[in-house]
Amino acid sequence: MTGEASVAAGSTIDALGQFELHPVLGHLGEALRFSQSPLFMLIAAAVVLVFLYVGMRPAAVVPGRLQAAAEISYDFVHDLAVSTIGENGATFFPFVFAIFFFILAGNYLGLLPFSFTYTSHIAVTFGLAIMVFIISILASIRFQGVGFLKHFLPAGTPVWLAPLLVPIELISFLSRPVSLSIRLFANMVAGHVLLEVFAGFTIMLAGLGAFGHVLAIAPIAINIALTALELLVGVLQAYVFAILTCIYLREAVAH
Amino acid sequence: MYRTPRLFLFAAPLAAVPGRAVAAGMPQLNFHDPLLIGQVVWGAVIFGGFYLALSRFALPRVERVLTNRRTRIQNDLDVARKAKAEADRASAELLSVRHEAAEQARAHVERIQSEARANAEAHAAETAKRLETEIANAETRITQSREQALSSLSEIATSTTQDLVSRLIGTQDEQTVASAVKRVSA
């Protein structure tokens, strides 16, 4: 939410301005097409890596708080990957871990004032979803050969149904990256638009004088509740993205 | 007094970003923006680096610590189990030794008791035998004395009777008195 102070311009609320991209680092950033979105991706990756590095530095047998948190994150994603994908889950575990924490850190960093939510950009979420899609296709070919194509005709269906079923299966397969990316994108955009709209209400009400000052408490209270909701949505969407990745990969490695 | 600064504040963004408030559409869908595609390319690079750092360094480090802990706990458990087995064996050994010792002691006590009993019996038998011989001796002695006494009795009786007879009748016949006494005392 970049610059909440500049939200309310007169009587209109610019809820979408927070999603605009601006080059950082001046002309260098402009030349490198480096906006605040990649900047926050870098910050998110660094935060996760530093968390793991600092957390695991004691390498104690009896972990402290930070080490326990790092180990819990590891175990959580590891269990998710192994229990969903199966015996090959360990192979894909680092990938699932990267997906989950890249999205989670992006969602949570975006909740900080003056930060930017890169998961609110369809280009980013679609890029992640296409990556998952391509990797699951590559895993299918790697583990099942070209034979994975027979999944488009579910076993036991009569041949005369094939002209109907194969396109349906194909469309549902191809719509995976679309639904995966739009789910995350829409959730993040909706949450941030709501936060911005209620923040704008607060500023507009404050302009009404003493009475407005009292009324302005209401949107602030709503924004506090929305922030709590966004904390839930942020982890939930990261989890959904990660578990759907695992499910697609399980189909890819299943024989 | 509040109006002026607030109006200025509201006007400032309007002046700074003209037309933004009325700009329709989402910035996310403005695909003409080179920054939009730029963030995807940068995102691929950053995510790739993030993935490599995680899979090469960060996650194996966590894995190592977790494995270390598991093996250490397993080793400690093994050591504890071994120590317990050893203690169990030692305790069983102690028990059997104690049992054996108790058996030995009981046997010892029994032997001493039976020995003592045998001793006492032997002693008692010896005493009884000695007493018996003494009783027998005493009896023979008594018999001898009585016989002796009885044999001297006829003499005493004869001499007493002779004295009495001589006092009564002034004369005596030794033969007659002796045979009379013999007749009486028989």
Side-chain angles (χ1 to χ4, degrees), chain A residues 201-220, chain B residues 1-3 6:
Chain A
F201 282 168
T202 309
I203 295 172
M204 285 164 80
L205 284 169
L208 295 178
F211 185 59
H213 278 96
V214 176
L215 281 183
I217 294 170
I220 289 177
Chain B
M1 57 192 276
Y2 280 69
R3 282 285 148 82
R6 187 159 296 127

Short mmCIF file of all heavy atoms in Angstrom, two decimals, chain A residues 201-220, chain B residues 1-3 6:
data_model
loop_
_atom_site.label_atom_id
_atom_site.label_comp_id
_atom_site.label_asym_id
_atom_site.label_seq_id
_atom_site.Cartn_x
_atom_site.Cartn_y
_atom_site.Cartn_z
N PHE A 201 -11.82 6.40 3.60
CA PHE A 201 -12.99 6.85 4.39
C PHE A 201 -12.54 7.59 5.63
O PHE A 201 -13.10 8.63 5.99
CB PHE A 201 -13.83 5.63 4.82
CG PHE A 201 -14.70 5.09 3.73
CD1 PHE A 201 -15.33 3.87 3.87
CD2 PHE A 201 -14.90 5.80 2.55
CE1 PHE A 201 -16.14 3.35 2.87
CE2 PHE A 201 -15.70 5.29 1.54
CZ PHE A 201 -16.31 4.07 1.71
N THR A 202 -11.52 7.04 6.29
CA THR A 202 -11.04 7.69 7.51
C THR A 202 -10.61 9.12 7.21
O THR A 202 -10.98 10.07 7.93
CB THR A 202 -9.86 6.90 8.08
OG1 THR A 202 -10.24 5.54 8.19
CG2 THR A 202 -9.46 7.42 9.44
N ILE A 203 -9.85 9.29 6.14
CA ILE A 203 -9.34 10.63 5.83
C ILE A 203 -10.48 11.55 5.42
O ILE A 203 -10.54 12.71 5.84
CB ILE A 203 -8.27 10.51 4.72
CG1 ILE A 203 -7.08 9.73 5.26
CG2 ILE A 203 -7.83 11.89 4.26
CD1 ILE A 203 -6.06 9.39 4.21
N MET A 204 -11.43 11.01 4.65
CA MET A 204 -12.55 11.86 4.23
C MET A 204 -13.39 12.28 5.42
O MET A 204 -13.82 13.44 5.51
CB MET A 204 -13.41 11.10 3.22
CG MET A 204 -12.77 11.01 1.85
SD MET A 204 -13.54 9.76 0.83
CE MET A 204 -14.98 10.63 0.26
N LEU A 205 -13.64 11.35 6.35
CA LEU A 205 -14.44 11.67 7.54
C LEU A 205 -13.71 12.68 8.41
O LEU A 205 -14.33 13.57 9.00
CB LEU A 205 -14.75 10.41 8.34
CG LEU A 205 -15.84 9.52 7.74
CD1 LEU A 205 -15.88 8.19 8.44
CD2 LEU A 205 -17.20 10.21 7.83
N ALA A 206 -12.39 12.54 8.48
CA ALA A 206 -11.63 13.47 9.31
C ALA A 206 -11.77 14.88 8.77
O ALA A 206 -11.62 15.85 9.53
CB ALA A 206 -10.17 13.04 9.35
N GLY A 207 -12.08 15.03 7.50
CA GLY A 207 -12.23 16.36 6.93
C GLY A 207 -13.54 17.03 7.32
O GLY A 207 -13.74 18.20 7.03
N LEU A 208 -14.42 16.31 7.96
CA LEU A 208 -15.73 16.87 8.31
C LEU A 208 -15.72 17.60 9.65
O LEU A 208 -16.77 17.99 10.13
CB LEU A 208 -16.78 15.75 8.36
CG LEU A 208 -17.07 15.07 7.03
CD1 LEU A 208 -18.09 13.95 7.22
CD2 LEU A 208 -17.58 16.07 6.00
N GLY A 209 -14.60 17.71 10.32
CA GLY A 209 -14.56 18.42 11.59
C GLY A 209 -14.66 17.44 12.76
O GLY A 209 -14.44 16.25 12.61
N ALA A 210 -15.05 17.99 13.93
CA ALA A 210 -15.02 17.23 15.17
C ALA A 210 -15.92 15.99 15.08
O ALA A 210 -15.54 14.91 15.53
CB ALA A 210 -15.46 18.10 16.34
N PHE A 211 -17.11 16.16 14.47
CA PHE A 211 -18.03 15.03 14.35
C PHE A 211 -17.41 13.92 13.49
O PHE A 211 -17.48 12.74 13.82
CB PHE A 211 -19.34 15.53 13.73
CG PHE A 211 -20.40 14.48 13.66
CD1 PHE A 211 -20.84 13.85 14.81
CD2 PHE A 211 -20.96 14.11 12.45
CE1 PHE A 211 -21.82 12.88 14.76
CE2 PHE A 211 -21.93 13.13 12.39
CZ PHE A 211 -22.38 12.52 13.54
N GLY A 212 -16.77 14.34 12.43
CA GLY A 212 -16.10 13.39 11.55
C GLY A 212 -14.96 12.67 12.23
O GLY A 212 -14.74 11.48 12.00
N HIS A 213 -14.26 13.38 13.12
CA HIS A 213 -13.17 12.74 13.85
C HIS A 213 -13.69 11.53 14.64
O HIS A 213 -13.03 10.51 14.72
CB HIS A 213 -12.52 13.73 14.82
CG HIS A 213 -11.51 14.61 14.15
ND1 HIS A 213 -11.81 15.87 13.69
CD2 HIS A 213 -10.22 14.40 13.84
CE1 HIS A 213 -10.74 16.40 13.14
NE2 HIS A 213 -9.74 15.52 13.21
N VAL A 214 -14.88 11.70 15.24
CA VAL A 214 -15.46 10.59 16.01
C VAL A 214 -15.87 9.46 15.07
O VAL A 214 -15.56 8.29 15.30
CB VAL A 214 -16.66 11.08 16.84
CG1 VAL A 214 -17.31 9.92 17.57
CG2 VAL A 214 -16.23 12.16 17.81
N LEU A 215 -16.54 9.84 13.98
CA LEU A 215 -17.00 8.82 13.04
C LEU A 215 -15.83 8.07 12.40
O LEU A 215 -15.97 6.89 12.06
CB LEU A 215 -17.84 9.47 11.94
CG LEU A 215 -19.28 9.81 12.29
CD1 LEU A 215 -19.98 10.38 11.07
CD2 LEU A 215 -20.03 8.58 12.78
N ALA A 216 -14.71 8.74 12.25
CA ALA A 216 -13.56 8.14 11.56
C ALA A 216 -13.02 6.92 12.30
O ALA A 216 -12.26 6.15 11.73
CB ALA A 216 -12.45 9.16 11.37
N ILE A 217 -13.43 6.79 13.57
CA ILE A 217 -12.96 5.61 14.32
C ILE A 217 -13.48 4.33 13.68
O ILE A 217 -12.78 3.32 13.65
CB ILE A 217 -13.44 5.73 15.79
CG1 ILE A 217 -12.73 6.91 16.46
CG2 ILE A 217 -13.15 4.46 16.56
CD1 ILE A 217 -13.27 7.27 17.81
N ALA A 218 -14.70 4.39 13.14
CA ALA A 218 -15.32 3.17 12.59
C ALA A 218 -14.48 2.56 11.47
O ALA A 218 -14.13 1.38 11.55
CB ALA A 218 -16.74 3.49 12.12
N PRO A 219 -14.12 3.31 10.40
CA PRO A 219 -13.28 2.67 9.36
C PRO A 219 -11.91 2.23 9.86
O PRO A 219 -11.36 1.24 9.34
CB PRO A 219 -13.15 3.75 8.28
CG PRO A 219 -13.68 4.98 8.85
CD PRO A 219 -14.56 4.65 10.01
N ILE A 220 -11.40 2.93 10.87
CA ILE A 220 -10.11 2.48 11.43
C ILE A 220 -10.28 1.11 12.07
O ILE A 220 -9.48 0.19 11.86
CB ILE A 220 -9.58 3.51 12.45
CG1 ILE A 220 -9.13 4.77 11.73
CG2 ILE A 220 -8.42 2.91 13.24
CD1 ILE A 220 -8.67 5.87 12.65
N MET B 1 -9.46 27.05 11.09
CA MET B 1 -8.00 26.99 11.24
C MET B 1 -7.46 25.66 10.76
O MET B 1 -6.30 25.53 10.43
CB MET B 1 -7.62 27.24 12.72
CG MET B 1 -8.28 26.25 13.67
SD MET B 1 -8.10 26.75 15.40
CE MET B 1 -6.50 26.09 15.81
N TYR B 2 -8.33 24.66 10.68
CA TYR B 2 -7.89 23.35 10.18
C TYR B 2 -7.97 23.28 8.66
O TYR B 2 -7.30 22.48 8.04
CB TYR B 2 -8.80 22.25 10.75
CG TYR B 2 -8.44 21.84 12.15
CD1 TYR B 2 -8.65 22.72 13.20
CD2 TYR B 2 -7.89 20.59 12.44
CE1 TYR B 2 -8.32 22.37 14.49
CE2 TYR B 2 -7.56 20.24 13.72
CZ TYR B 2 -7.79 21.12 14.76
OH TYR B 2 -7.48 20.76 16.03
N ARG B 3 -8.86 24.09 8.13
CA ARG B 3 -9.20 23.96 6.71
C ARG B 3 -7.99 24.05 5.78
O ARG B 3 -7.75 23.16 4.99
CB ARG B 3 -10.23 25.04 6.30
CG ARG B 3 -11.63 24.71 6.72
CD ARG B 3 -12.22 23.62 5.82
NE ARG B 3 -13.16 22.78 6.55
CZ ARG B 3 -14.45 23.14 6.76
NH1 ARG B 3 -14.93 24.26 6.30
NH2 ARG B 3 -15.25 22.34 7.44
N ARG B 6 -5.40 21.19 5.45
CA ARG B 6 -6.00 19.95 4.97
C ARG B 6 -6.34 20.05 3.49
O ARG B 6 -6.08 19.13 2.71
CB ARG B 6 -7.25 19.65 5.79
CG ARG B 6 -7.82 18.29 5.46
CD ARG B 6 -8.69 17.77 6.56
NE ARG B 6 -7.94 17.54 7.79
CZ ARG B 6 -8.28 18.04 8.97
NH1 ARG B 6 -9.34 18.82 9.08
NH2 ARG B 6 -7.55 17.78 10.04
#
